[in-house]
């Protein structure tokens, strides 16, 4: 039997290895921008087309490469960042594995133009599928310029499963944010299809955060600064009142590198304990600096998972630093001295005669044990009625109720009957129609044949709105309610890109939203089926729900829009409903095709059997 194990060709091995390093266009942007940072660049420009599927161009003004280095950079495990295994324990560069360029060249059409300052001519290299087509001198600017075209052209399975352009662009924006935030001294530019997405000038940390996420975040930032022998922590956290319902503005950086760390996230969230609304997440941008020898970043090729030697010691430091910052900036709620709703105690006017003390009359002859002595009318007695001590003879207890008996005799019998009739009429009027009860401004209780039905009012409203919006999207016939005063909304580039991708669907739903400058939109109208008091809040909630929806297929885009808008517009808990509103909600719920569950599968109602109720009374 012949041997069956053989060595794979380099091109095949590179394509297999590329699957770990290059997962989508955002991975290419991440790797090349990190290389530009390691090259000492102060200006980095990212130009992409069709969310990186057609073109990714990244240019910098870094140190550049010699002709030999430019060719060697595309070989696997070729790097200038480390030279020995000991260097792995003191890594301060962004890259060190030497796999990024080899992986990119294996699955794309790559052009490289690079030049060092001391060289007269630069180098041009053209590689397609790990095969070098051209290498020649060229007149180029100082620094490095990469052109990545037709990504995954030779891996159709990977290209087929790329998401929509809006989704891929969102991931590219996230990668740019993760490298731009810890490097505020570097100017970044991100351009998509000829339209600038980010123009970030060199600035400080606070200004860079505001430039990335918008001016609305500036007022919520609280400074954090803690320096210990183990770790130095600095950055900013958001005030609790500006917390959002979804995650997206939570960043941990270690020595300038973005990382995910659920353990440290828990430390920060516990510092906000009893300060946040339920199911809310604060913004935070925390930068940790510590000895590179105490961490291990060589866990995964993406280098977002980092192991800490003393993470149990860092946990309380993060918790204490955040808690201290919240206290220093008076973020913790203080005592409320508001007198609204309190009892108004009248203060008498001061008379000209001064304060007049009350007259006290004392009878010196009063003996509480003398039962035979009659007291004068003007003397003080402890009680106008007969005291208990005077009732030595218990046979005259009926005298205690003498006044009550006289009152009963003076009243007529028909009046008592009339009062009971009024009470029954009030009950009948209150429970007219369906017998329902709103519990805790959250649930609706109504009796049914088999027991007691409990309905979640918000989830019921979600189901009703979802089916209404879905029907509107399918029929394309909806009235738009124009706003008397159009409202503008400023978004960060990621949210603005998402909103642009769904504007057509929102238009068919009855929204009238137009672009009004860079990342600014004006809301002229809202769907007539909605009672909208704050259009900008509805749009913000819609974007949050849309970004975090698991549905991403184009064929289900309308369902995704309807679901996101239903969640954003549904009735909130804590709202007191009138009788007719409850009846209307129940009628509309059971007119739905699937009243038992929300569009995302959560239970809307449940029935408590009458047997369970009787068992609770031990019957």
């Amino acid at each position: 039997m012949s041997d069956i194990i053989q060595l794979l060709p380099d091109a095949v091995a590179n394509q297999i290895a590329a699957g770990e390093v290059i997962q989508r266009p955002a991975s290419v942007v991440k790797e090349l921008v990190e290389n530009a940072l390691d090259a000492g660049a102060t200006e980095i420009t990212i130009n992409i087309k069709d969310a990186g599927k057609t073109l990714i161009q990244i240019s910098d003004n870094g140190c550049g490469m010699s002709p030999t280095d430019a060719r060697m950079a595309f070989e696997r495990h070729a790097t200038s960042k480390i030279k020995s295994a000991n260097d792995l324990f003191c890594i301060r560069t962004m890259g060190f594995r030497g796999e990024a360029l080899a992986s990119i060249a294996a699955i794309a059409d790559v052009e490289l133009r690079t030049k060092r300052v001391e060289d007269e001519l630069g180098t041009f290299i053209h590689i397609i599928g790990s095969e070098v087509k051209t290498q020649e001198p060229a007149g180029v600017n100082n620094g490095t310029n990469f052109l990545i075209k037709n990504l995954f052209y030779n891996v159709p399975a990977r290209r087929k499963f790329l998401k929509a352009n809006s989704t891929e662009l969102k991931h590219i924006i996230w990668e740019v944010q993760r490298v731009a935030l810890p490097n505020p001294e570097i100017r970044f530019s991100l351009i998509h299809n000829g339209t600038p997405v980010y123009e970030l000038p060199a600035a400080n940390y606070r200004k860079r955060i505001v430039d990335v996420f918008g001016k609305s975040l500036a007022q919520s930032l609280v400074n954090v600064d803690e320096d210990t022998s183990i770790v130095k922590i600095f950055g900013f956290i958001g005030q609790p009142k500006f917390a959002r319902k979804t995650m997206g503005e939570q960043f941990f950086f270690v020595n300038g590198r973005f990382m995910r760390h659920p353990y440290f996230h828990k430390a920060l969230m516990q510092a906000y304990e009893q300060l946040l609304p339920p199911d809310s997440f604060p913004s935070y941008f925390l930068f940790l600096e510590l000895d590179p020898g105490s961490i291990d970043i060589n866990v995964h090729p993406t280098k977002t998972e980092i192991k800490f030697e003393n993470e149990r010691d860092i946990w309380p430091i993060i918790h204490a630093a955040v808690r201290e910052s919240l206290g220093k900036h008076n973020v913790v709620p203080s005592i409320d001295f508001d007198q609204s709703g309190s009892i108004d105690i009248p203060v008498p006017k001061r008379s000209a005669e001064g304060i007049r003390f009350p007259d006290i009359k004392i009878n010196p002859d009063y003996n509480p044990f003398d039962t035979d002595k009659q007291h004068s009318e003007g003397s003080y007695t402890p009680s106008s009625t007969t005291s208990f001590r005077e009732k030595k003879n218990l046979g005259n207890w009926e005298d205690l109720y003498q006044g009550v008996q006289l009152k009963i005799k003076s009243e007529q019998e028909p009046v008592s009957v009339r009062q009971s009739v009024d009470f029954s009429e009030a009950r009948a009027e209150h429970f007219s129609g369906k017998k329902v009860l709103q519990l805790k401004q959250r649930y609706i209780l109504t009796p049914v044949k088999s027991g007691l039905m409990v309905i979640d009012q918000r989830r019921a409203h979600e189901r009703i709105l979802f089916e209404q919006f879905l029907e509107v999207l399918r029929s394309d016939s909806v009235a738009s309610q124009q706003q008397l005063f159009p409202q503008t909304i400023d978004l960060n580039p990621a949210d603005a890109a998402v909103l642009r991708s769904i504007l057509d669907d929102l238009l068919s739903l009855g929204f009238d939203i137009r672009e009004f400058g860079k990342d600014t939109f004006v809301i002229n109208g809202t769907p007539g089926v909605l009672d909208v008091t704050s259009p900008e809040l509805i749009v913000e909630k819609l974007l949050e729900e849309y970004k975090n929806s698991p549905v991403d297929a184009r064929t289900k885009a309308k369902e995704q829009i309807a679901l996101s808008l239903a969640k954003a517009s549904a009735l909130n808990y804590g709202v007191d409903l009138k009788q007719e509103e409850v009846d209307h909600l129940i009628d509309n719920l059971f007119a739905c095709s699937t009243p038992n569950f929300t569009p995302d599968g959560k239970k809307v109602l449940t029935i408590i059997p009458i047997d369970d109720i009787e068992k609770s009374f031990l019957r």
Side-chain angles (χ1 to χ4, degrees):
M1 183 176 178
S2 61
D3 298 333
I4 60 175
I5 296 178
Q6 57 184 350
L7 188 65
L8 289 175
D10 290 341
V12 178
N14 289 340
Q15 289 186 17
I16 295 174
E20 289 186 345
V21 182
I22 308 302
Q23 302 172 359
R24 59 195 336 147
S27 304
V28 177
V29 174
K30 171 184 179 297
E31 297 293 344
L32 295 183
V33 170
E34 288 181 351
N35 284 343
L37 293 175
D38 292 336
T42 59
E43 295 183 1
I44 300 175
T45 302
I46 307 159
N47 187 6
I48 58 178
K49 290 184 180 180
D50 300 329
K53 299 175 184 178
T54 303
L55 173 68
I56 300 175
Q57 180 182 10
I58 297 179
S59 58
D60 63 73
N61 62 347
C63 63
M65 291 181 283
S66 66
T68 303
D69 288 342
R71 177 63 186 85
M72 284 293 297
F74 289 97
E75 296 295 330
R76 185 161 300 277
H77 309 306
T79 179
S80 62
K81 315 299 174 60
I82 60 175
K83 295 182 179 179
S84 64
N86 293 330
D87 295 338
L88 290 173
F89 302 103
C90 56
I91 294 176
R92 290 192 176 274
T93 56
M94 300 300 293
F96 60 90
R97 297 171 63 96
E99 294 181 332
L101 291 182
S103 299
I104 295 172
I107 55 175
D109 182 349
V110 180
E111 293 182 7
L112 167 64
R113 293 173 175 83
T114 183
K115 175 180 175 295
R116 297 183 299 181
V117 177
E118 61 270 21
D119 295 336
E120 295 183 359
L121 289 177
T123 303
F124 170 74
I125 297 179
H126 186 198
I127 300 178
I128 302 178
S130 297
E131 182 181 352
V132 179
K133 298 294 184 180
T134 304
Q135 179 174 356
E136 59 186 11
V140 296
N141 295 327
N142 295 333
T144 304
N145 187 348
F146 275 100
L147 272 76
I148 314 298
K149 297 181 288 186
N150 299 326
L151 189 65
F152 298 122
Y153 81 97
N154 55 352
V155 190
R158 180 61 63 89
R159 188 175 181 88
K160 177 182 177 181
F161 286 99
L162 290 178
K163 304 298 183 181
N165 285 353
S166 59
T167 303
E168 297 300 336
L169 176 61
K170 178 175 64 176
H171 285 277
I172 292 175
I173 291 175
W174 286 349
E175 293 297 342
V176 173
Q177 291 174 353
R178 293 169 183 176
V179 295
L181 289 174
N183 299 283
E185 72 282 359
I186 299 175
R187 188 183 73 83
F188 286 89
S189 297
L190 175 61
I191 303 171
H192 180 238
N193 291 339
T195 302
V197 178
Y198 278 133
E199 288 290 347
L200 305 176
N204 54 29
Y205 284 98
R206 187 186 188 95
K207 182 67 166 55
R208 174 57 58 88
I209 294 173
V210 173
D211 290 341
V212 171
F213 292 100
K215 298 179 181 178
S216 59
L217 193 64
Q219 57 183 338
S220 70
L221 295 179
V222 175
N223 184 51
V224 177
D225 193 359
E226 187 70 32
D227 193 357
T228 67
S229 59
I230 299 176
V231 61
K232 178 182 179 181
I233 302 174
F234 63 95
F236 300 90
I237 57 176
Q239 297 183 23
K241 63 181 179 180
F242 293 99
R244 308 178 73 173
K245 291 293 183 182
T246 56
M247 300 186 68
E249 296 175 357
Q250 292 78 31
F251 293 89
F252 275 118
F253 299 94
V254 177
N255 295 341
R257 185 189 305 275
F258 170 80
M259 73 163 181
R260 294 186 179 93
H261 207 293
Y263 187 60
F264 291 164
H265 173 75
K266 184 178 180 181
L268 188 139
M269 293 301 295
Q270 286 192 9
Y272 277 88
E273 194 172 10
Q274 298 182 353
L275 297 177
L276 288 175
D279 301 327
S280 298
F281 301 94
S283 302
Y284 61 81
F285 310 88
L286 292 184
F287 304 87
L288 282 65
E289 290 186 357
L290 66 164
D291 181 13
S294 63
I295 61 175
D296 182 12
I297 60 178
N298 190 22
V299 179
H300 191 271
T302 59
K303 299 183 285 291
T304 57
E305 299 178 16
I306 299 178
K307 299 294 184 181
F308 287 79
E309 180 182 355
N310 48 3
E311 64 179 12
R312 291 186 179 274
D313 298 328
I314 299 176
W315 195 98
I317 297 176
I318 294 176
H319 182 274
V322 173
R323 196 71 181 175
E324 181 183 5
S325 297
L326 293 174
K328 281 183 178 180
H329 294 80
N330 297 323
V331 176
V332 179
S334 58
I335 300 176
D336 186 8
F337 293 97
D338 188 9
Q339 298 296 324
S340 59
S342 59
I343 301 175
D344 187 12
I345 303 176
V347 180
K349 296 181 179 180
R350 181 178 296 179
S351 61
E353 300 177 358
I355 300 176
R356 182 174 179 272
F357 293 94
D359 296 332
I360 301 177
K361 295 181 180 181
I362 301 175
N363 183 7
D365 298 329
Y366 173 70
N367 184 1
F369 301 100
D370 188 2
T371 58
D372 298 331
K373 187 174 181 179
Q374 300 293 329
H375 304 288
S376 59
E377 295 181 358
S379 62
Y380 170 78
T381 58
S383 176
S384 60
T385 60
T386 307
S387 65
F388 178 78
R389 293 181 181 274
E390 295 175 316
K391 295 296 181 180
K392 295 181 179 180
N393 185 7
L394 298 179
N396 58 356
W397 60 271
E398 295 90 344
D399 295 342
L400 293 173
Y401 299 95
Q402 183 177 2
V404 178
Q405 293 175 355
L406 294 175
K407 184 177 181 180
I408 294 176
K409 291 180 180 179
S410 63
E411 293 179 348
Q412 298 179 355
E413 185 68 20
V415 176
S416 178
V417 175
R418 177 177 53 82
Q419 289 176 349
S420 63
V421 172
D422 289 345
F423 179 73
S424 62
E425 289 177 355
R427 287 176 59 87
E429 180 181 357
H430 182 71
F431 292 101
S432 61
K434 295 181 179 178
K435 297 179 181 179
V436 294
L437 173 66
Q438 187 182 16
L439 178 64
K440 297 290 186 180
Q441 297 177 331
R442 185 183 183 98
Y443 302 103
I444 296 174
L445 310 180
T446 180
V448 293
K449 185 177 180 180
S450 58
L452 182 66
M453 179 182 293
V454 183
I455 302 173
D456 188 303
Q457 65 183 35
R458 174 174 174 80
R459 293 183 180 180
H461 201 207
E462 281 184 19
R463 164 53 66 178
I464 295 169
L465 291 177
F466 172 74
E467 295 201 2
Q468 289 180 353
F469 292 142
L470 198 58
E471 183 178 356
V472 166
L473 280 173
R474 290 170 178 169
S475 62
D476 293 332
S477 59
V478 63
S480 177
Q481 177 67 40
Q482 294 296 309
Q483 297 290 314
L484 183 61
F485 300 102
Q487 299 186 8
T488 58
I489 178 173
D490 295 324
L491 301 174
N492 61 61
D495 289 347
V498 172
L499 184 57
R500 290 188 191 98
S501 67
I502 61 175
L503 273 181
D504 293 339
D505 291 319
L506 293 180
L507 183 63
S508 62
L509 273 172
F511 280 96
D512 185 1
I513 303 177
R514 310 291 173 87
E515 285 199 58
F516 192 67
K518 184 176 181 295
D519 299 334
T520 302
F521 297 82
V522 58
I523 306 173
N524 296 314
T526 56
V529 295
L530 286 180
D531 183 14
V532 180
T533 56
S534 180
E536 70 279 5
L537 184 60
I538 291 293
V539 173
E540 290 178 357
K541 288 183 177 180
L542 170 65
L543 291 176
E544 292 297 326
E545 296 291 346
Y546 185 86
K547 288 189 300 182
N548 292 275
S549 175
V551 181
D552 195 35
R554 293 185 178 182
T555 56
K556 295 186 177 180
K558 292 186 177 181
E559 292 185 8
Q560 184 179 355
I561 294 291
L563 173 60
S564 301
L565 187 55
K567 285 188 173 184
S569 310
L571 181 70
N572 288 323
Y573 297 121
V575 177
D576 193 9
L577 300 178
K578 297 180 181 178
Q579 180 71 28
E580 55 271 17
E581 292 175 335
V582 174
D583 293 343
H584 185 68
L585 185 68
I586 295 176
D587 292 339
N588 288 338
L589 175 63
F590 288 100
C592 295
S593 59
T594 311
N596 294 348
F597 298 95
T598 61
D600 51 354
K602 297 179 181 177
K603 186 180 290 187
V604 173
L605 56 90
T606 185
I607 296 178
I608 303 175
I610 190 67
D611 294 340
D612 293 348
I613 298 177
E614 290 182 349
K615 286 179 183 178
S616 64
F617 290 97
L618 301 178
R619 291 184 179 178

